[in-house]
Amino acid sequence: MLPYASLAHALADVVVTSAWFLSFGDERQLDPASSIRELEGMAAVLGQLSVGQLAELSDVIRELAAQETSPERRAFLSSFLGELGIKQPAG
């Protein structure tokens, strides 16, 4: 999807791609406990975003999901914030 529309788009893609790898990576390559810790850390940082920042992130992730060609990754993007326990702003 390069080039990205904004820095926010690029960073959101990096965060989601990292979370995808941590969630679905091969257990022979990733320690499951370490993956969970990293995802929890990601959730902690994202959970501190302001309402406006969270709304922007949510909008960007929706855009990424709409452009995604893989059904599995599209579903992951659509549920990403909720799976991290972050309440998504209405929109």
Side-chain angles (χ1 to χ4, degrees):
M1 178 183 135
L2 294 173
Y4 291 98
S6 69
L7 177 61
H9 283 77
L11 293 175
D13 193 36
V14 168
V15 168
V16 170
T17 298
S18 297
W20 173 269
F21 178 74
L22 291 169
S23 296
F24 299 107
D26 189 334
E27 288 184 8
R28 293 173 292 179
Q29 296 174 330
L30 290 170
D31 173 44
S34 295
S35 294
I36 290 169
R37 275 193 307 277
E38 290 303 316
L39 289 167
E40 288 172 345
M42 191 179 293
V45 170
L46 296 177
Q48 294 178 29
L49 295 176
S50 70
V51 172
Q53 291 169 327
L54 191 54
E56 181 181 4
L57 178 60
S58 184
D59 289 346
V60 169
I61 291 174
R62 276 193 213 100
E63 289 176 30
L64 292 172
Q67 297 169 1
E68 182 57 55
T69 58
S70 163
E72 295 85 8
R73 189 165 159 93
R74 188 178 321 112
F76 180 78
L77 284 161
S78 296
S79 65
F80 176 69
L81 292 176
E83 290 293 325
L84 290 178
I86 300 169
K87 185 174 177 168
Q88 296 185 54

